[in-house]
Amino acid sequence: MSVPQAPIGDDGAKEALAYGQWLFAQDCRFVIGAAQLEQVPESSLPEVAFAGRSNVGKSSLINALTGRKTLAKTSNTPGRTQQLNFFVLGERLMMADLPGYGFAQAPKAKVARWTSLAEAYLKGRPLLRRACLLIDARHGLKDVDRSIMKRLDTAAVSYQVILTKADKPSAAELSACLDQVAREIATHTAAHPEILTTSSRDGRHIAELRATLAALAAPRSPSSDQAGSAT
Ligand code: GDP
């Protein structure tokens, strides 16, 4: 099977989509659920992270991206919920699934724990290319999201807002949500200007998100892929 090349330049939209489709069809392997910083795996792969409020649709989105029904659910079983779950995709991209934040009924200690573990991870990961900050398209940004955005700005972690559950709001509500988010991210130094509007239910912009993330992954030429070594 030929390996689509990682796209170069601005004209590569089609190639980007093809590379994203190909990469996310590759093997996705669970590496570890890290409950402490010391358990965060060493890696030489480019990395992306997924963060968002509890119930934002993060597991569903990761499963939609990888085409696996249970990948993120398996790792989100109770007891693992405060862990950072790491997956390697196609030996080219490390994906980190951060615990959901903002549980209304969470005790302060639990919130502090999210903050210290996730923040230490986010600050100390030189190969972290981007954090996907998932926001429910019905609700838009909440104060807890804003506080995470400020932390990401301070840590100089590039992040991109991904709206989830876009099948739920009306077109007018969705457009108002996009306006609100666009206005706010313009004031955040580390925020990527492009917002992706996704739905795990109807599949909208899942292919585009795959392409966006694949463009951050390690490219590999077909010949070196056959040889099994990175270029
Ligand atoms: P997580 O806690 O962030 O991992 O969220 P889940 O992926 O478990 O989703 C939380 C709830 O939202 C579940 O009931 C999902 O079925 C629902 N959900 C997730 N994604 C979508 C979506 O794109 N559209 C709709 N309508 N519901 C969704």
PDB file of all heavy atoms in Angstrom, residues 20 28 49 106 130 151 186:
ATOM      1  N   GLY A  20      -4.328  12.587   6.214  1.00  0.00           N
ATOM      2  CA  GLY A  20      -5.075  12.463   7.464  1.00  0.00           C
ATOM      3  C   GLY A  20      -5.891  11.179   7.497  1.00  0.00           C
ATOM      4  O   GLY A  20      -5.903  10.446   8.481  1.00  0.00           O
ATOM      5  N   CYS A  28      -3.569   2.233  16.151  1.00  0.00           N
ATOM      6  CA  CYS A  28      -3.525   3.189  17.254  1.00  0.00           C
ATOM      7  C   CYS A  28      -3.386   2.374  18.536  1.00  0.00           C
ATOM      8  O   CYS A  28      -4.253   1.585  18.877  1.00  0.00           O
ATOM      9  CB  CYS A  28      -4.796   4.033  17.274  1.00  0.00           C
ATOM     10  SG  CYS A  28      -4.661   5.408  18.418  1.00  0.00           S
ATOM     11  N   ALA A  49      -2.496  16.989  22.004  1.00  0.00           N
ATOM     12  CA  ALA A  49      -3.242  16.671  23.220  1.00  0.00           C
ATOM     13  C   ALA A  49      -4.696  17.080  23.035  1.00  0.00           C
ATOM     14  O   ALA A  49      -5.002  17.992  22.251  1.00  0.00           O
ATOM     15  CB  ALA A  49      -2.621  17.409  24.406  1.00  0.00           C
ATOM     16  N   ALA A 106     -17.115  18.526  41.431  1.00  0.00           N
ATOM     17  CA  ALA A 106     -15.816  17.984  41.826  1.00  0.00           C
ATOM     18  C   ALA A 106     -15.272  18.699  43.063  1.00  0.00           C
ATOM     19  O   ALA A 106     -15.367  19.923  43.154  1.00  0.00           O
ATOM     20  CB  ALA A 106     -14.826  18.130  40.685  1.00  0.00           C
ATOM     21  N   ARG A 130       0.423  20.748  19.442  1.00  0.00           N
ATOM     22  CA  ARG A 130      -0.828  21.499  19.596  1.00  0.00           C
ATOM     23  C   ARG A 130      -1.747  20.795  20.601  1.00  0.00           C
ATOM     24  O   ARG A 130      -1.791  19.568  20.648  1.00  0.00           O
ATOM     25  CB  ARG A 130      -1.556  21.610  18.252  1.00  0.00           C
ATOM     26  CG  ARG A 130      -2.695  22.626  18.270  1.00  0.00           C
ATOM     27  CD  ARG A 130      -3.192  22.932  16.885  1.00  0.00           C
ATOM     28  NE  ARG A 130      -2.149  23.467  16.019  1.00  0.00           N
ATOM     29  CZ  ARG A 130      -2.275  23.629  14.704  1.00  0.00           C
ATOM     30  NH1 ARG A 130      -3.405  23.305  14.104  1.00  0.00           N
ATOM     31  NH2 ARG A 130      -1.291  24.118  13.975  1.00  0.00           N
ATOM     32  N   ARG A 151      -3.916  29.630  31.041  1.00  0.00           N
ATOM     33  CA  ARG A 151      -2.784  28.780  31.432  1.00  0.00           C
ATOM     34  C   ARG A 151      -1.988  28.336  30.202  1.00  0.00           C
ATOM     35  O   ARG A 151      -0.771  28.268  30.227  1.00  0.00           O
ATOM     36  CB  ARG A 151      -3.272  27.549  32.181  1.00  0.00           C
ATOM     37  CG  ARG A 151      -3.786  27.858  33.560  1.00  0.00           C
ATOM     38  CD  ARG A 151      -4.536  26.665  34.115  1.00  0.00           C
ATOM     39  NE  ARG A 151      -5.335  27.043  35.260  1.00  0.00           N
ATOM     40  CZ  ARG A 151      -4.865  27.133  36.492  1.00  0.00           C
ATOM     41  NH1 ARG A 151      -3.613  26.876  36.727  1.00  0.00           N
ATOM     42  NH2 ARG A 151      -5.657  27.498  37.487  1.00  0.00           N
ATOM     43  N   ALA A 186      -9.092  35.724  19.661  1.00  0.00           N
ATOM     44  CA  ALA A 186      -8.258  36.779  19.074  1.00  0.00           C
ATOM     45  C   ALA A 186      -7.427  37.489  20.148  1.00  0.00           C
ATOM     46  O   ALA A 186      -6.391  38.088  19.850  1.00  0.00           O
ATOM     47  CB  ALA A 186      -9.125  37.782  18.320  1.00  0.00           C
TER      48      ALA A 186
END
